[in-house]
Amino acid sequence: MREPNGPFAFQLDRSAERPLAEQLQQRLRAAIEAGQLQAGARLPSWRDLAAQLGVARGTLREAYERLVDERLIVASGAAGTHVAGAPP
């Protein structure tokens, strides 16, 4: 298993009261808002990033879905998932 790097190199607090999906959502949102993940940047698949972070795929999928609901990322099927706001 590869170690996460760049904007995906964060630790999760498994003993926290907040669910892991919420922690992932917050960390990814913070990376987007700080410009670490710029508009149009492709995100790893939720399966790949879940494996890198050692969390269940459904947990990361839920975090991605929440970010889609916030319109911070855009899921484009086979084209992948990207940070929203990229010029067409």
Side-chain angles (χ1 to χ4, degrees):
M1 176 176 7
R2 286 185 329 185
E3 288 296 316
N5 54 42
F8 308 105
F10 47 76
Q11 298 295 317
L12 299 172
D13 185 354
R14 295 175 189 277
S15 64
E17 288 185 26
R18 284 187 326 168
L20 291 177
E22 187 177 325
Q23 291 180 50
L24 288 162
Q25 174 191 10
Q26 178 186 17
R27 297 238 167 66
L28 289 168
R29 183 190 314 111
I32 292 167
E33 291 173 349
Q36 291 176 313
L37 291 171
Q38 296 184 354
R42 186 171 181 168
L43 301 176
S45 74
W46 49 266
R47 289 179 179 158
D48 288 345
L49 188 54
Q52 289 176 24
L53 296 173
V55 299
R57 291 181 305 219
T59 299
L60 195 64
R61 182 175 162 206
E62 181 180 341
Y64 272 27
E65 288 173 351
R66 290 178 180 189
L67 292 167
V68 167
D69 289 345
E70 291 182 46
R71 298 183 179 176
L72 291 174
I73 64 174
V74 177
S76 302
T81 303
H82 296 81
V83 176

